[in-house]
Amino acid sequence: MRIVIAGGHGQIALRLERLLTARGHEAVGVIRNPDQAKDLRDAGAEPVVLDLESSSAQEVAEVLRGADAVVFAAGAGPDSGAERKETVDRGAAVLFADAAELAGVRRYVVVSSMGADPDHPGDEVFDAYLRAKGAADAYVRSRTGLDWTILRPGMLTNDAGTGTVLLTASTGRGPVPRDDVAAALLELLETPATAGLTLELISGNVPVAVAVKDIAGN
């Protein structure tokens, strides 16, 4: 498969690119900063420089044309303010969804966040982030032209992956290594029957591939 990933230089995205390449897939990473291209190539991915905050849906669709699936893994980052949560975490996810439909790419996998909710209360930046992610998720779920899966990991860590997780509609809070999030994304991409599911992910005791197979079609 040819998989295009928004936020291609993110910590989860780089892990996913390595996994996709090792599994024989073609990974394409969308980045804003051309200085990051070498890191993507080192991960086995093809870099494409494109600013999702200033591009049109048609421009993004040209990048997505011919892809088998897309992954939205972009984010404004922990040091950004509430305004960029809106333009990246919501706006870019909406743009990427629109572009996927224009390009005829049905499979759309979103890296969201546990607690994402368009009506989440509060005035802190993290509250704005959860509202933005929740609004983006709601928009994606409304698109009948997309076979979407939304993955909401728990607290992300850089611990080595264990390869075992808990993956259900509602897990309760808990940590999960980025390694295991990337592994779950790979399995979700290879499992079309997970379309239409919003899933939470934390560390657990079920092998990633088994957890995805168990939830597929539910």
Side-chain angles (χ1 to χ4, degrees):
M1 292 191 294
R2 178 178 173 87
I3 314 292
V4 182
I5 304 167
H9 193 260
Q11 294 187 66
I12 291 171
L14 285 169
R15 287 167 166 84
L16 176 59
E17 287 154 8
R18 294 187 192 99
L19 294 176
L20 286 167
T21 302
R23 196 73 72 93
H25 300 300
E26 184 181 352
V28 179
V30 176
I31 53 176
R32 187 174 61 171
N33 183 353
D35 294 340
Q36 298 171 341
K38 182 182 183 301
D39 291 339
L40 269 70
R41 292 191 188 99
D42 289 346
E46 172 195 338
V48 173
V49 179
L50 189 71
D51 187 348
L52 296 178
E53 288 180 273
S54 61
S55 298
S56 69
Q58 194 62 56
E59 288 170 327
V60 180
E62 290 305 312
V63 174
L64 302 186
R65 216 169 295 283
D68 297 288
V70 298
V71 178
F72 186 82
D79 297 326
S80 62
E83 183 177 327
R84 290 202 71 227
K85 306 304 184 193
E86 183 65 19
T87 58
V88 179
D89 293 288
R90 187 201 63 79
V94 167
L95 174 73
F96 220 60
D98 289 345
E101 286 193 288
L102 283 173
V105 182
R106 292 196 63 90
R107 191 73 174 110
Y108 190 98
V109 176
V110 179
V111 183
S112 184
S113 176
M114 193 172 290
D117 180 349
D119 299 317
H120 180 83
D123 301 320
E124 301 297 323
V125 171
F126 190 68
D127 298 322
Y129 168 75
L130 291 177
R131 282 193 294 274
K133 294 297 282 187
D137 292 354
Y139 184 83
V140 169
R141 285 196 292 250
S142 76
R143 309 311 298 169
T144 57
L146 298 177
D147 296 327
W148 53 266
T149 303
I150 294 169
L151 183 65
R152 293 176 167 175
M155 185 183 71
L156 299 170
T157 75
N158 286 325
D159 297 338
T162 65
T164 57
V165 296
L166 175 62
L167 178 71
T168 66
S170 179
T171 61
R173 297 197 173 272
V176 61
R178 288 179 171 87
D179 287 350
D180 291 335
V181 178
L185 289 168
L186 174 67
E187 297 296 336
L188 290 170
L189 286 164
E190 292 186 339
T191 311
T194 55
L197 299 179
T198 301
L199 302 168
E200 294 184 352
L201 177 75
I202 59 174
S203 291
N205 55 17
V206 179
V208 173
V210 175
V212 171
K213 184 179 179 181
D214 285 349
I215 202 73
N218 289 346

